[in-house]
Amino acid sequence: MVLLCRRHHRAVHEEGFRVTLDAAGDAHFQRPDGRPLPTAPPAPAWAGPALGPTNDRLATAGTRIDGRTATPAWQGERLDLGWALSVLWRPRGGRSKK
């Protein structure tokens, strides 16, 4: 058995991708035209602190993260949906209309 997320489950059942299991139980994936999907490379080995590379990039950028970084300033007021969408959504092409 192979567990797939919703997107990949649909790819198999609606878009023609195929999954087969070999005798060892390893899954192999094929495109709709029958060509195999390449095997994903293994994750790079890392023996340092869990967030070492990320912490190094943040320090280089001068970004400080502490216990108050994610503290919300929300006081219970109603969501301003128009404002939230104007901040979060960008039209295709990266340009916003003003």
Side-chain angles (χ1 to χ4, degrees):
M1 177 180 1
V2 176
L3 297 177
L4 300 172
C5 70
R6 180 181 298 186
R7 166 68 186 100
H8 291 101
H9 184 265
R10 290 184 70 164
V12 169
H13 287 281
E14 297 177 14
E15 298 172 22
F17 285 84
R18 288 181 296 215
V19 182
T20 57
L21 297 176
D22 63 19
D26 294 326
H28 300 277
F29 300 87
Q30 289 115 14
R31 293 179 172 99
D33 65 4
R35 292 180 300 139
L37 284 170
T39 303
W46 178 255
L51 293 175
T54 299
N55 290 337
D56 293 343
R57 283 193 302 275
L58 291 171
T60 299
T63 303
R64 183 169 175 255
I65 295 180
D66 59 23
R68 296 194 43 80
T69 299
T71 302
W74 182 61
Q75 300 296 318
E77 62 273 8
R78 187 179 179 122
L79 172 67
D80 182 343
L81 184 59
W83 175 82
L85 290 175
S86 73
V87 171
L88 297 172
W89 180 78
R90 294 282 182 262
R92 291 180 189 226
R95 296 183 184 182
S96 60
K97 295 179 182 178
K98 290 193 176 188

